[in-house]
Amino acid sequence: MKSLDETVEAVMRTLGLDDAAVVRRKAFLEFTDDDVARLRTLHAALQDLAPDFVDAFYTHLLAFEETRALLPHAQTLERLKRTQAAYFDNLTAGDYGPDYILHRLRVGAAHQRAGLAPAWYLGGYSKYLAGLFPELWQRLGKDPEAFVATCQALIKIVLLDMGLAIDTYIQADRQTILTLKEYADIVFASIPDGLLVLSPDLTVLSANRAFLERLGLTEEAVRGRYLMEVLAADGLRGRALEVLATGVAQHDVLFSMGPAGSDERKPVRVTLTGIRLAEEEEEEEEARLLLIVEDLTEEQALRAAALESERRFRDLAETAHDGIIMTDPQGKIAYFNRAAERMFGYRRNQALQRSIGTVLPEPLSCQLDEGLQHTPVWETQGRRQDGTFFMVEGSSSVFEGSAGRFITYVLRDLTERKQFERQLIHLANHDPLTHLPNRKFFQDRLGISLDEAALNEEQLAVLFLDLDRFKLINDTFGHALGDKLLLMVAERLAGCFRKGDMLARLGGDEFVVLLRGLSGKQDATLVAQKIMDGFAHAFQLEAHEAFVSASIGIAFYPSDAIDADNLIRCADSAMYQAKEQGLGYQFYRLDLENLSSERLTLENSLRRALERDELRLYYQPKVDLASGAVIGLEALLRWAHPVRGMIPPDQFVPLAEETGLIVPIGEWVLRTACLQIKAWQGEGMPLLPVAVNLSARQFRQPSASGETEGRPLSDEAAGVHDLVETIERVLGETGVDPSCLELEITESILMQNLSTAANILQALSAKGMRIFIDDFGTGYSSLSYLKRLPIDTIKIDKSFVGDITTDQDDAAIVAAIIAMAHSLRLKVVAEGVETQEQFDFLLERGCDAMQGYFYSKPLPAEEILPLLRSTRNSSSGRD
């Protein structure tokens, strides 16, 4: 019986199954490179499936008598399972070249020889596909296109295999009739090593194809020639004669061999052995010498490549930032790179041959046995030489070598990452300035506390705290000192609470407190009072002392609200009422919601006041104290609400400032005042300047264009450009001379950004407008700005004027302001003059002008001309 190789070779010859024929078969099946790529991808995914799949396959075969007969005992069954696993593995491995074709033909020949009928053979393929398709669907079902394409590729390669198998079955019987010589020739020619048969006198009798191809010779050039005329190999002749003489074979003799007469040499391994062949007409056999020549060129190249690869691996491993450790089959450390030395504190020679449990806790090894090697990335504890533990991130791979299983660990120290993660968690839940819990953290904790309070039937309270006048301090002293104040406030607040209570900063100057385990409202009252007492002492901000108070709103669970958002909202609402009424702290009451609603309604009405023409300007005369003559007017804003009537400025101007509506309202005031000046001039009224008040928001209003001559403006330049441009535009559109317009600003506006204010005022003064400082004496600023700014006049606030005849302190302050202003060559106007005594006091102290009810209250524009004419006539009558 011929061997399987002979059968396969004969089938290939008979079918003409060369490379081109295989290519045609693949083309007919439309088996493309894309199919190869899909099968390779599938191959990688099925590595963990093969053993289970093969077990299921043979369980199926054992269920039928015809196939069970081919599996005689357990040992054969296990061997066949391994063979079948390799077969299935190769089916999707993606290498479908000549070796694959030979292997498939050989498998088919083996099955035919074993007596497996084609029907059962095809049934095996059916079982394979039926078992694999559900697995494919589970892995690729979310991508139907990939699933179908992979199934098609699998079917094509299966059909290619089936075709080869069927061809083998058909041709197998034909091969048995080939002669032994043909068999020998085929074997001789197909052996991959070079074969050379020599006569006793070392004449070449025959050479196989591998020998000729590897040495670049032809059969005609070697047959019948003396060995040394064919080959050049030092020592080969002596070895050949020695084997012929002794009959003892010599194995694995190394030579450098090449064609005779050529300098080309290649490394070979030669086996020399004697053989005897019977001649056709002779009874005795004549000795022959067989040379088996194994070309070592590729082997040496592979060995050199392996050595180079190992060197590169070590270079890479030694320079890697991650620790790399390899263990041998006994779990001992066989490799330990420099990064691992730094990570664990062991020198390499200290770590080698130690158990992996020395640096990685023992449970990890157990987990690896249970399949951790299939987890792409995992985290565990590492243990340093000093015994300290730390977190590491790792991945591992298993290599099954001839000596057993080797495991490679790639490890990264997570100490810094874990610290950074903790910092991120802290930042996500805490205020970056005070490091108190932030809004998110507070709301989460409040939600948990509410659940606990509901379970235990307890009360809890939320205190919403807002600092009073913090914006003024922040704007006056700057944001750096403002932040320092917030830190000092947080520290002082922290001392007001019990253990278990929670203080958080919501943002800005808003803080919130959670009080748990309350017995009643009196507990929250005690805490609120403690906070108020804590704010009684000044805060030292470098060279400045700042007194800060707080407004506190208090809401209770479950009486006021039962969820976190509403409880905070109720406390916030109560805080606003405490602030508006100056109460310090205020418990939430339902009627407070109505007050908040009223404020919102007022804001909405104010937003429509301009378009509905509800705003009015009233004018109050400024009177020269010495002559009694009217020297100017101040435009004062009023709001004629269609339902509530005339609303005082102190009720809506702060709201306009807060919402930003003061900017369009301010431009309306400026334009209306200029139009009125123009109208009075047309009616023959004496030329009197009109003063308008500028707000802090107008000094900070954003740029309309944001650019000048194609260049972006700085914030400071944009502010100057916008306000000055607005005033210039209004003056130009109304035709009013700049000298007819006076501008009044407060000290607080100047101190918010003195540099910007100086630029704006310089620009306005240069165009002929006079600058007044309003409410002088109520600010917190240094008086040095009076020398730096183009100020013409200061106005003494009415809070000082009201008691100058009864309060010595106010009288002294007013006298000092007048003297100081005159020393700086500034004019002085006193506001709020209501009595003859106040008038006489100011006149005696040299005050330049006054305004107030003593002369006239603010009047509508249409009443100003009659007033001026009446005053002029009275003066003429006295004359």
Side-chain angles (χ1 to χ4, degrees):
M1 179 182 291
K2 291 187 176 181
S3 68
L4 288 177
D5 288 336
E6 290 179 289
T7 303
V8 168
E9 189 72 22
V11 169
M12 292 185 68
R13 265 201 326 274
T14 303
L15 296 176
L17 199 61
D18 56 9
D19 291 347
V22 172
V23 169
R24 286 196 301 275
R25 289 195 178 204
K26 290 179 180 179
F28 188 75
L29 290 171
E30 296 183 336
F31 187 73
T32 66
D33 290 342
D34 288 341
D35 295 313
V36 173
R38 292 188 183 95
L39 291 174
R40 285 175 177 167
T41 301
L42 176 61
H43 181 79
L46 295 179
Q47 292 308 298
D48 57 345
L49 182 65
D52 293 339
F53 194 91
V54 170
D55 287 339
F57 181 81
Y58 274 88
T59 299
H60 178 68
L61 293 182
L62 291 171
F64 298 90
E65 182 178 351
E66 291 84 347
T67 50
R68 189 165 58 246
L70 302 176
L71 305 172
H73 45 72
Q75 184 177 359
T76 301
L77 179 62
E78 289 305 313
R79 178 177 58 79
L80 289 174
K81 283 185 178 182
R82 289 194 298 272
T83 303
Q84 193 68 38
Y87 181 89
F88 286 153
D89 189 70
N90 288 336
L91 191 64
T92 57
D95 184 1
Y96 307 113
D99 289 341
Y100 178 87
I101 302 301
L102 284 172
H103 179 263
R104 272 12 191 188
L105 290 172
R106 182 183 177 88
V107 170
H111 287 168
Q112 185 271 343
R113 184 169 293 181
L116 183 67
W120 299 102
Y121 190 80
L122 296 178
Y125 276 114
S126 175
K127 174 60 180 176
Y128 171 77
L129 292 175
L132 191 56
F133 282 163
E135 183 68 22
L136 288 182
W137 178 252
Q138 181 178 355
R139 295 170 184 262
L140 301 175
K142 294 182 180 179
D143 188 352
E145 183 176 346
F147 170 75
V148 171
T150 303
C151 289
Q152 290 174 341
L154 188 61
I155 290 172
K156 292 174 187 177
I157 193 62
V158 166
L159 291 177
L160 178 65
D161 278 21
M162 289 170 58
L164 294 171
I166 292 171
D167 285 337
T168 304
Y169 274 80
I170 293 173
Q171 298 298 328
D173 290 338
R174 298 180 184 177
Q175 305 308 314
T176 58
I177 64 174
L178 295 177
T179 65
L180 290 174
K181 183 177 183 304
E182 181 182 8
Y183 163 76
D185 290 343
I186 293 173
V187 172
F188 188 76
S190 63
I191 291 176
D193 292 334
L195 297 179
L196 195 66
V197 180
L198 303 174
S199 68
D201 61 357
L202 300 185
T203 299
V204 177
L205 299 176
S206 63
N208 74 344
R209 183 171 58 251
F211 176 85
L212 297 174
E213 289 177 351
R214 291 181 182 183
L215 290 174
L217 300 170
T218 63
E219 186 173 355
E220 292 77 10
V222 301
R223 184 182 292 275
R225 300 190 63 184
Y226 181 58
L227 173 64
M228 307 317 298
E229 293 177 351
V230 175
L231 295 178
D234 294 342
L236 177 61
R237 178 176 176 276
R239 293 271 187 169
L241 293 175
E242 185 177 342
V243 171
L244 285 171
T246 64
V248 178
Q250 297 187 16
H251 301 278
D252 300 329
V253 184
L254 300 179
F255 292 101
S256 179
M257 181 180 291
S262 171
D263 294 333
E264 179 184 351
R265 295 288 186 274
K266 61 176 60 180
V268 295
R269 182 187 294 116
V270 178
T271 294
L272 302 94
T273 182
I275 58 174
R276 290 186 177 273
L277 300 175
E279 296 293 339
E280 292 181 0
E281 297 180 357
E282 297 179 2
E283 297 180 358
E284 296 184 357
E285 297 178 346
E286 185 178 7
R288 299 286 189 269
L289 184 65
L290 175 65
L291 271 60
I292 303 173
V293 182
E294 182 183 359
D295 190 345
L296 300 182
T297 303
E298 184 176 350
E299 180 180 320
Q300 288 192 358
L302 290 174
R303 184 180 295 110
L307 292 173
E308 177 65 15
S309 177
E310 181 180 358
R311 185 189 66 78
R312 289 181 180 178
F313 166 76
R314 290 187 177 273
D315 290 345
L316 177 62
E318 290 305 311
T319 58
H321 178 71
D322 295 335
I324 300 175
I325 302 175
M326 181 182 292
T327 59
D328 62 20
Q330 288 71 45
K332 304 293 185 181
I333 296 174
Y335 178 74
F336 202 78
N337 75 340
R338 292 174 186 170
E341 290 181 321
R342 294 191 297 269
M343 187 181 300
F344 293 99
Y346 289 95
R347 299 298 298 272
R348 182 174 306 175
N349 58 352
Q350 295 173 319
L352 293 179
Q353 292 307 305
R354 288 177 179 262
S355 168
I356 185 63
T358 304
V359 292
L360 297 178
E362 200 62 41
L364 179 64
S365 301
C366 301
Q367 293 173 15
L368 277 168
D369 289 336
E370 296 168 5
L372 185 59
Q373 63 268 30
H374 299 304
T375 304
V377 179
W378 35 263
E379 290 185 9
T380 188
Q381 279 192 326
R383 182 167 54 201
R384 298 187 181 92
Q385 187 181 27
D386 60 9
T388 59
F389 287 88
F390 64 106
M391 291 302 297
V392 295
E393 177 185 81
S395 61
S396 58
S397 60
V398 177
F399 170 72
E400 295 287 351
S402 58
R405 184 177 68 170
F406 291 80
I407 302 176
T408 301
Y409 302 89
V410 180
L411 306 169
R412 177 168 297 177
D413 189 340
L414 294 183
T415 303
E416 291 185 3
R417 185 196 297 180
K418 292 297 182 182
Q419 182 178 0
F420 182 62
E421 288 175 355
R422 288 192 293 271
Q423 290 174 348
L424 287 180
I425 293 172
H426 181 83
L427 289 174
N429 292 286
H430 291 79
D431 169 48
L433 175 63
T434 64
H435 299 291
L436 292 173
N438 59 13
R439 180 187 298 272
K440 176 184 177 297
F441 190 16
F442 181 83
Q443 288 180 316
D444 292 344
R445 185 62 58 86
L446 177 57
I448 295 172
S449 298
L450 287 171
D451 292 339
E452 293 174 349
L455 185 64
N456 300 323
E457 297 183 353
E458 294 177 342
Q459 288 190 83
L460 59 78
V462 170
L463 278 62
F464 199 107
L465 184 148
D466 184 87
L467 302 182
D468 300 326
R469 297 169 59 232
F470 172 75
K471 184 178 184 302
L472 178 61
I473 294 173
N474 200 43
D475 292 343
T476 301
F477 297 133
H479 294 290
L481 289 184
D483 287 347
K484 184 175 181 181
L485 175 61
L486 289 173
L487 281 169
M488 297 171 71
V489 166
E491 291 175 1
R492 196 170 291 186
L493 286 173
C496 298
F497 310 116
R498 308 161 302 169
K499 184 177 180 180
D501 295 335
M502 183 178 183
L503 170 66
R505 182 186 177 208
L506 299 187
D509 59 346
E510 293 181 340
F511 296 83
V512 65
V513 182
L514 169 62
L515 302 179
R516 288 179 282 204
L518 302 179
S519 59
K521 285 192 175 182
Q522 67 276 7
D523 292 345
T525 301
L526 291 174
V527 173
Q529 189 58 55
K530 192 173 182 179
I531 294 173
M532 304 304 296
D533 294 342
F535 280 89
H537 307 290
F539 292 88
Q540 191 66 40
L541 300 176
E542 295 183 353
H544 308 281
E545 275 193 341
F547 286 89
V548 179
S549 59
S551 298
I552 305 172
I554 308 173
F556 284 88
Y557 166 86
S559 57
D560 296 328
I562 59 174
D563 63 273
D565 289 341
N566 280 317
L567 200 58
I568 295 173
R569 182 185 59 79
C570 290
D572 186 17
S573 178
M575 181 276 295
Y576 272 109
Q577 290 306 309
K579 185 180 290 289
E580 290 179 5
Q581 299 176 23
L583 297 176
Y585 63 88
Q586 170 71 55
F587 290 100
Y588 173 77
R589 298 198 316 270
L590 185 59
D591 59 339
L592 297 180
E593 297 285 356
N594 297 329
L595 294 175
S596 298
S597 177
E598 181 180 347
R599 183 179 181 276
L600 182 60
T601 301
L602 187 65
E603 178 185 332
N604 292 334
S605 297
L606 182 58
R607 291 184 181 276
R608 294 191 292 269
L610 265 178
E611 61 187 65
R612 293 179 177 178
D613 195 27
E614 296 172 4
L615 299 181
R616 302 285 185 271
L617 281 188
Y618 278 45
Y619 300 87
Q620 188 173 42
K622 298 177 183 178
V623 180
D624 182 80
L625 280 167
S627 66
V630 176
I631 59 174
L633 301 164
E634 180 181 2
L636 300 170
L637 182 62
R638 299 291 185 267
W639 180 10
H641 193 279
V643 176
R644 300 175 58 176
M646 198 66 70
I647 300 178
D650 60 355
Q651 291 188 20
F652 72 87
V653 169
L655 185 60
E657 282 275 5
E658 181 183 338
T659 59
L661 291 171
I662 198 67
V663 173
I665 290 175
E667 183 171 345
W668 177 88
V669 169
L670 182 65
R671 186 180 303 278
T672 302
C674 288
L675 290 172
Q676 189 59 60
I677 292 171
K678 200 65 177 176
W680 279 331
Q681 291 175 355
E683 296 176 17
M685 176 177 165
L687 190 61
L688 293 175
V690 175
V692 297
N693 290 277
L694 296 178
S695 73
R697 279 295 187 107
Q698 287 173 286
F699 273 72
R700 300 196 308 270
Q701 66 187 52
S703 170
S705 64
E707 296 182 354
T708 177
E709 298 181 358
R711 297 187 304 275
L713 288 169
S714 66
D715 291 342
E716 184 174 300
V720 174
H721 179 71
D722 286 349
L723 183 56
V724 174
E725 182 186 68
T726 299
I727 295 174
E728 283 184 332
R729 186 177 71 253
V730 171
L731 289 173
E733 292 173 356
T734 58
V736 172
D737 189 276
S739 62
C740 295
L741 184 64
E742 296 174 342
L743 303 172
E744 295 190 7
I745 60 174
T746 62
E747 288 180 284
S748 61
I749 292 176
L750 297 176
M751 301 317 297
Q752 287 181 21
N753 193 328
L754 186 58
S755 176
T756 299
N759 291 334
I760 294 175
L761 297 182
Q762 292 286 0
L764 296 174
S765 177
K767 298 183 183 300
M769 285 165 271
R770 298 171 64 204
I771 310 299
F772 285 56
I773 299 298
D774 198 13
D775 300 335
F776 186 83
T778 60
Y780 293 85
S781 60
S782 166
L783 299 177
S784 63
Y785 69 84
L786 294 175
K787 298 187 299 181
R788 298 175 55 187
L789 302 176
I791 297 169
D792 298 285
T793 304
I794 61 176
K795 299 179 71 175
I796 303 175
D797 188 70
K798 61 184 179 181
S799 62
F800 298 111
V801 174
D803 295 326
I804 55 175
T805 59
T806 58
D807 188 313
Q808 291 183 352
D809 291 339
D810 284 350
I813 290 173
V814 170
I817 292 174
I818 294 171
M820 179 204 65
H822 287 165
S823 69
L824 295 174
R825 297 180 297 281
L826 300 176
K827 299 290 186 181
V828 181
V829 176
E831 297 182 291
V833 179
E834 298 182 355
T835 66
Q836 182 68 50
E837 290 79 7
Q838 294 168 351
F839 180 91
D840 294 340
F841 177 93
L842 294 168
L843 181 61
E844 181 180 346
R845 299 309 188 278
C847 185
D848 299 290
M850 67 90 181
Q851 63 184 96
Y853 278 37
F854 180 68
Y855 180 81
S856 172
K857 65 181 181 179
L859 298 172
E862 59 269 18
E863 297 182 24
I864 292 297
L865 270 178
L867 172 67
L868 295 180
R869 289 167 181 161
S870 171
T871 302
R872 189 163 57 247
N873 292 338
S874 298
S875 299
S876 299
R878 289 195 297 271
D879 293 341

